[in-house]
Amino acid sequence: MEDRALVLGGGGVTGVAWEIGLLAGLAEHGIELATADLIVGTSAGSVVGAGVAAGRDLEVMYQGQLAPAEGQPAARMGLAARARYVAIMTGTRDPVRARMKLGAFALRARTEPEAARRAVFEGRLAGRDWPARLKVTAVDAASGEFTVFAADGPATLLDAVCASCAVPGVWPPATINGRRYIDGGIRSVANADLAAGYQQVVVLAPIAQGIGHFASPARQAAALAGAGARVVVLSPDAQARHAIGFNLLDPARRAAAARAGRAQAAAEAGRVRAVWQPEAGPA
């Protein structure tokens, strides 16, 4: 087995903020998850992962989440779209077929132009070089194939993050080498199984639930533990869930979500240290 893996799951704008707050808070307690040998980023986690893997200062990232959100309108997934998601995810036993249906839904949806969405991420990514330890997940909209982008692959980091964050029905699929890609969270909200073979795994999962055959982070973590890894899954506590609210895509909730993540770190430090620094013993 290799050493340590950090898995960063999807969860919208507020998920980005909560993960950064938690990472910054844990670092205050001497737990440097940014030193992971492997970083897996899905959707919101791809944004955080790109910054962490590139060595960005966590405190700078955290302060960025506290900045006012004026001029940043909240995106929203309507009730009809939510119902469509659930129907597709629970309506077939074939996960690839379900992803194909979600891909078709994404390709039909009226969203902002792809170029406009790409420009958003051009402003968010501090660097364009692929860190070798970073993997970013997405799904081929036409075939439903799960895709893992990495430094040695065909996608630029910007392309991969755009693809991983392309929530069907909300934002446009991202084009890479003539193929259209959608949110990696369509396969799993965390894709923690990509950390197979690592001895110590920490999963930050803003969304804790799985739907139907879409495995939850806890189920994937249990499989890793069954193979001999030390694993801990962190999801928002009650305070963080209140801060995040119902709409995960609302930038106005970003600062509160970041603060809640940082506050939660104090309560979670012991569990995380036991996995990440088992030689340290109790704090």
Side-chain angles (χ1 to χ4, degrees):
M1 279 190 171
E2 296 188 64
D3 293 326
R4 300 186 295 187
L6 172 63
V7 177
L8 300 165
V13 173
T14 53
V16 170
W18 175 80
E19 288 181 352
I20 290 173
L22 193 56
L23 289 168
L26 288 170
E28 279 190 312
H29 290 272
I31 305 168
E32 299 285 353
L33 297 184
T35 61
D37 303 293
L38 169 71
I39 297 174
V40 177
T42 292
S43 198
S46 72
V47 177
V48 180
V52 170
R56 286 193 66 194
D57 184 273
L58 283 174
E59 191 60 36
V60 172
M61 292 175 68
Y62 177 74
Q63 292 300 323
Q65 296 302 305
L66 303 185
E70 285 93 350
Q72 301 178 40
R76 187 176 295 276
M77 183 182 293
L79 292 177
R82 289 176 182 272
R84 181 68 174 153
Y85 265 54
V86 173
I88 290 172
M89 290 179 173
T90 59
T92 174
R93 294 180 179 274
D94 183 348
V96 177
R97 182 171 176 78
R99 296 197 294 265
M100 288 175 64
K101 288 185 175 182
L102 285 169
F105 169 67
L107 293 169
R108 290 193 306 267
R110 293 183 178 181
T111 64
E112 68 179 4
E114 184 178 345
R117 187 63 181 157
R118 182 182 178 85
V120 170
F121 287 103
E122 285 179 333
R124 289 180 182 173
L125 295 183
R128 301 293 176 83
D129 294 334
W130 259 106
R133 58 193 177 128
L134 175 65
K135 293 184 178 180
V136 173
T137 68
V139 168
D140 187 305
S143 69
E145 179 183 0
F146 179 56
T147 303
V148 181
F149 293 113
D152 58 355
T156 67
L157 180 59
L158 175 60
D159 287 337
V161 173
C162 287
S164 193
C165 294
V167 180
V170 178
W171 289 308
T175 304
I176 300 174
N177 287 354
R179 306 291 298 180
R180 308 293 302 282
Y181 291 90
I182 56 175
D183 197 318
I186 294 308
R187 189 255 187 177
S188 160
V189 293
N191 294 299
D193 55 323
L194 294 181
Y198 285 77
Q199 295 177 332
Q200 296 146 252
V201 183
V202 174
V203 182
L204 306 190
I207 299 173
Q209 301 82 12
I211 301 176
H213 54 261
F214 291 76
S216 68
R219 198 165 102 197
Q220 291 182 327
L224 294 173
R230 291 175 178 264
V231 190
V232 62
V233 178
L234 305 184
S235 294
D237 60 13
Q239 179 183 347
R241 291 194 300 272
H242 178 75
I244 288 168
F246 182 72
N247 184 7
L248 306 182
L249 306 177
D250 185 357
R253 295 273 187 170
R254 189 177 60 199
R259 291 189 180 99
R262 190 159 199 160
Q264 186 177 346
E268 303 285 14
R271 287 205 301 146
V272 179
R273 185 177 287 108
V275 166
W276 206 249
Q277 302 166 337
E279 70 285 352

